[in-house]
């Protein structure tokens, strides 16, 4: 678990969407999607207009010229002199002072930190950040942060000293892992570039109408190079000649030897087993190599993951079998969280373990597997019922939201009416028609064959319960093209 995996990136470009996948030791662990008809707006900067302020929620809604207004929590607002109308506040501004910070109709610069999800609009902040490959520049937040993965004290001091020399007063920077051991001039060049980009955004904000987009986040191809194509990724393979040439131009000269063009007739994702992994990531059940399996169910509030031994019977004892199954499941669960991009609250129901040392060993395995996740993930601990609580930062929709849509029949529940229930509903509607259609003597009922079979089986019992049915003519018609819950009653 502590060994560094061999990483590679595959980029699939097709007329419908661009897809990129990060492989670790040949296994897909992270999937990125960009559809032509569905823009991702995280990272975009807008000149917005405050639509309304809700003191009871410590929040406001900002018109950003998108389909839905953006949600802006008071804690995500960093007031400046212009926002405060030149006033000075003593002490610390608190969320309850939202009405003192902003007002309806006010123009405000916001950046999107979470895409719209379901019925919720995007989440915004006024604490702007401009990401680069090695640095993240924060123009209005005085702070120098360094990646925890850079552990050498001398290197941390060196990086902090370089940033301090260049940073404008009142601004800050986060130094990413990719900056480790990079030459001083290279780091300064990127930071100065980000500072110049910020000055350009400020100019646009002053001249742009409100509301409007003033800075759009880069496309998926650029983001992959910036955020994912780190020094420990040994290969980036793309299957499109145009994008290959683009990548050659935007990738630093020393990294282009790791770039490859895939021009084989076989589909690239199929060849590397990615399509199979995506299909698996869309299903509830994931089978482990041992024969055990996990079941993943998502709800509005949280994601539940259940671990089962399945066909795995072990080699030694029951306790040993359970611990080994739970450890294997912990590693796979960490991979599935990344691959499916599941965020929010996650509850894991491991198989019950009596020995506290066994529980600790499984939690340790889960924590080690999650260290490879670039998204902030925290294992809260085990509840009194033996359930493990995990939280993972939620930025946008999961891949199921991109690749699937709610079932038009079940509405996303996974359940439909039984044949008996449909037959009873049809019976009720028919009896209602008989009582309201005076003088009608002929009807045709059409339903799914399974429903019609039930109606035919209990026909004699119906005539005994409702003798009036014998006075009318009812034609039965089975239609296999109808959904199980669909039926029609027609006068003839």
């Amino acid at each position: 678990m502590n060994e560094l995996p061999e990483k590679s990136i595959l980029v699939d470009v097709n007329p419908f969407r661009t897809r990129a996948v990060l492989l670790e030791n040949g296994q897909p662990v992270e999937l990125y999607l960009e559809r032509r008809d569905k823009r991702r707006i995280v990272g975009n900067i807008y000149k917005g207009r405050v639509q309304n302020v809700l003191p009871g929620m410590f929040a406001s809604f900002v018109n950003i010229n998108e389909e839905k207004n953006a949600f802006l929590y008071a804690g995500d607002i960093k007031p400046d002199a212009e926002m405060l109308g030149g006033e000075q506040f003593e002490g610390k501004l608190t969320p309850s002072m939202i009405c003192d910070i902003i007002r309806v109709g006010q123009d405000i610069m916001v950046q999107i930190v979470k895409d719209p999800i379901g019925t919720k609009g995007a989440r915004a902040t006024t604490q702007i950040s401009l990401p680069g490959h090695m640095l993240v520049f924060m123009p209005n937040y005085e702070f120098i942060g360094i990646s925890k993965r850079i552990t050498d004290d001398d290197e941390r001091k060196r990086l902090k000293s370089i940033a301090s020399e260049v940073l404008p007063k009142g601004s800050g920077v986060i130094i990413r892992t990719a900056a480790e051991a990079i030459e001083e001039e290279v780091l300064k060049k990127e930071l100065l570039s980000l500072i110049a980009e910020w000055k350009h955004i400020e100019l646009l904000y002053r001249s742009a109408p409100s509301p409007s987009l003033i800075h759009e986040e880069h496309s998926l191809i650029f983001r992959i190079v910036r955020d994912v194509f780190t020094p420990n990724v040994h290969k980036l393979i793309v299957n499109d000649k145009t994008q290959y040439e683009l990548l050659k131009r935007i990738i630093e000269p020393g990294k282009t030897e790791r770039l490859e063009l895939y021009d084989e007739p076989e589909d690239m994702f199929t060849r590397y087993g990615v399509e199979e992994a995506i299909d698996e990531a869309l299903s509830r059940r994931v089978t482990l190599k041992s024969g055990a399996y996990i079941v993943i169910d998502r709800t509005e509030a949280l994601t539940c993951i259940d671990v089962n031994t399945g066909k795995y019977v072990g080699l030694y004892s029951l306790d040993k079998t359970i611990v080994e199954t739970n450890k294997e499941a912990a590693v796979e669960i960490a991979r599935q969280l990344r691959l499916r991009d599941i965020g929010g609250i996650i509850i894991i129901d491991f198989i019950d373990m009596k020995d506290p040392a066994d529980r600790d060993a499984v939690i340790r395995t889960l924590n080690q597997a999650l260290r490879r996740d670039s998204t902030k993930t925290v294992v809260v601990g085990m509840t009194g019922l033996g359930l493990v609580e995990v939280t993972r930062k939620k930025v946008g929709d999961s891949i199921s939201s991109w690749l699937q849509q709610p079932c038009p029949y079940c509405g996303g529940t996974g359940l439909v009416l039984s044949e008996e229930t449909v037959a009873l509903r049809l019976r009720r509607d028919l009896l209602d028609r008989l009582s309201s259609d005076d003088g009608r003597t002929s009807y045709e009922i059409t339903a799914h064959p399974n429903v019609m079979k039930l109606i035919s089986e209990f026909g004699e019992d119906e005539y005994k319960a409702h003798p009036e049915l014998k006075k009318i003519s009812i034609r039965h018609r089975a239609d296999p093209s109808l959904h199980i819950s669909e039926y029609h009653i027609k006068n003839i």
Side-chain angles (χ1 to χ4, degrees):
M1 285 296 302
N2 294 322
E3 294 180 3
L4 288 175
E6 184 180 88
K7 295 184 178 183
S8 56
I9 300 170
L10 307 178
V11 179
D12 170 50
V13 181
N14 60 61
F16 301 98
R17 60 170 69 98
T18 299
R19 303 181 296 175
V21 64
L22 174 66
L23 305 178
E24 289 183 353
N25 296 328
Q27 195 173 34
V29 293
E30 292 178 10
L31 179 66
Y32 305 89
L33 298 166
E34 185 174 73
R35 269 173 35 187
R36 303 291 169 88
D37 62 338
K38 187 177 181 181
R39 290 186 303 124
R40 183 180 186 268
I41 65 172
V42 167
N44 286 1
I45 300 175
Y46 295 85
K47 182 175 184 177
R49 177 158 291 176
V50 179
Q51 197 75 18
N52 46 21
V53 180
L54 307 175
M57 293 178 63
F58 299 159
S60 66
F61 286 93
V62 181
N63 183 355
I64 57 173
N65 204 28
E66 294 287 342
E67 186 179 345
K68 296 174 183 173
N69 291 336
F71 177 81
L72 178 62
Y73 176 63
D76 293 325
I77 301 174
K78 184 172 175 58
D80 54 24
E82 183 181 346
M83 194 180 295
L84 297 174
E87 293 186 35
Q88 295 294 323
F89 282 86
E90 293 184 8
K92 186 178 179 182
L93 288 163
T94 63
S96 61
M97 300 168 69
I98 179 96
C99 292
D100 298 318
I101 302 172
I102 57 174
R103 61 190 181 279
V104 174
Q106 178 181 349
D107 289 342
I108 186 171
M109 185 190 295
V110 294
Q111 185 173 36
I112 304 304
V113 292
K114 284 186 180 180
D115 274 319
I117 300 175
T119 58
K120 297 178 182 178
R123 181 159 181 169
T125 180
T126 68
Q127 299 176 28
I128 309 298
S129 62
L130 299 176
H133 180 61
M134 296 167 285
L135 308 164
V136 179
F137 177 57
M138 299 175 294
N140 54 14
Y141 193 79
E142 195 167 359
F143 169 77
I144 297 179
I146 303 175
S147 168
K148 292 180 180 179
R149 296 183 183 181
I150 301 176
T151 55
D152 184 82
D153 288 337
D154 290 336
E155 178 63 5
R156 293 177 70 88
K157 289 177 184 176
R158 182 185 80 92
L159 294 169
K160 188 172 183 178
S161 174
I162 294 170
S164 300
E165 289 180 27
V166 182
L167 277 175
K169 187 178 179 180
S171 61
V173 69
I174 295 173
I175 301 171
R176 303 174 115 174
T177 310
E180 188 172 16
I182 297 296
E183 293 179 6
E184 180 178 340
E185 291 306 312
V186 176
L187 289 173
K188 285 183 176 179
K189 182 180 178 182
E190 178 168 292
L191 184 49
L192 288 170
S193 174
L194 292 172
I195 293 169
E197 186 177 7
W198 167 243
K199 289 179 179 177
H200 179 65
I201 291 170
E202 283 187 304
L203 287 173
L204 288 174
Y205 177 77
R206 293 190 189 102
S207 61
S210 175
S212 62
L213 173 66
I214 57 175
H215 173 77
E216 188 168 16
E217 175 62 303
H218 293 299
S219 67
L220 178 60
I221 294 286
F222 279 84
R223 297 199 308 271
I224 289 295
V225 172
R226 184 189 69 197
D227 302 332
V228 188
F229 193 41
T230 54
N232 60 347
V233 174
H234 80 286
K235 198 162 37 177
L236 193 162
I237 308 172
V238 61
N239 65 350
D240 182 81
K241 178 71 173 175
T242 303
Q243 296 301 323
Y244 172 75
E245 295 298 334
L246 171 65
L247 285 166
K248 277 179 25 178
R249 291 196 300 271
I250 64 176
I251 290 176
E252 297 168 28
K255 298 179 179 179
T256 51
E257 68 273 5
R258 291 186 278 153
L259 177 64
E260 292 182 16
L261 174 65
Y262 182 87
D263 56 2
E264 301 294 327
E266 184 183 5
D267 179 78
M268 181 174 65
F269 270 28
T270 301
R271 178 175 177 177
Y272 285 91
V274 177
E275 293 293 0
E276 185 179 344
I278 292 173
D279 289 342
E280 184 181 64
L282 295 175
S283 64
R284 289 181 66 236
R285 177 167 165 161
V286 179
T287 304
L288 309 179
K289 289 182 180 178
S290 65
Y293 64 92
I294 60 175
V295 176
I296 304 174
D297 285 308
R298 302 198 64 189
T299 70
E300 286 288 330
L302 49 82
T303 299
C304 306
I305 303 177
D306 187 41
V307 182
N308 299 276
T309 53
K311 297 179 181 178
Y312 182 51
V313 295
L315 298 173
Y316 305 103
S317 66
L318 176 61
D319 289 345
K320 183 78 171 175
T321 300
I322 289 172
V323 173
E324 291 303 314
T325 301
N326 283 338
K327 282 184 175 180
E328 185 186 17
V331 175
E332 183 60 29
I333 287 168
R335 185 177 82 93
Q336 290 295 327
L337 294 183
R338 295 171 68 188
L339 186 61
R340 298 173 187 236
D341 200 13
I342 295 173
I345 301 169
I346 299 131
I347 301 295
I348 306 172
D349 185 9
F350 286 108
I351 303 167
D352 290 340
M353 296 168 285
K354 297 177 182 177
D355 190 341
D358 290 340
R359 295 195 204 108
D360 291 342
V362 171
I363 296 294
R364 207 160 42 242
T365 301
L366 180 62
N367 271 311
Q368 288 174 347
L370 289 170
R371 282 177 192 164
R372 296 176 183 170
D373 193 348
S374 58
T375 301
K376 185 179 180 181
T377 308
V378 178
V379 179
V380 180
M382 189 173 284
T383 69
L385 295 174
L387 304 173
V388 175
E389 293 181 81
V390 178
T391 61
R392 188 171 186 269
K393 187 176 180 181
K394 192 171 186 177
V395 177
D397 290 329
S398 65
I399 66 164
S400 64
S401 301
W402 285 86
L403 301 179
Q404 295 175 310
Q405 62 183 17
C407 172
Y409 298 110
C410 72
T413 66
L415 301 169
V416 295
L417 297 175
S418 67
E419 289 94 337
E420 292 87 352
T421 302
V422 178
L424 285 169
R425 287 189 174 187
L426 193 159
R427 170 182 179 272
R428 180 196 62 204
D429 288 349
L430 178 61
L431 291 173
D432 287 345
R433 289 280 289 271
L434 290 178
S435 62
S436 60
D437 289 351
D438 293 334
R440 292 282 183 182
T441 58
S442 300
Y443 295 90
E444 180 183 80
I445 58 175
T446 306
H448 188 275
N450 292 359
V451 176
M452 295 307 303
K453 181 181 177 183
L454 277 176
I455 291 173
S456 299
E457 286 178 1
F458 295 99
E460 288 301 319
D461 294 333
E462 283 286 17
Y463 286 133
K464 291 177 183 177
H466 298 278
E468 66 269 24
L469 290 176
K470 293 183 178 180
K471 300 176 183 178
I472 63 173
S473 170
I474 302 176
R475 184 191 302 168
H476 292 184
R477 192 168 74 87
D479 186 351
S481 68
L482 291 180
H483 185 260
I484 193 73
S485 62
E486 189 179 2
Y487 58 84
H488 305 288
I489 302 173
K490 184 172 71 171
N491 296 328
I492 57 173

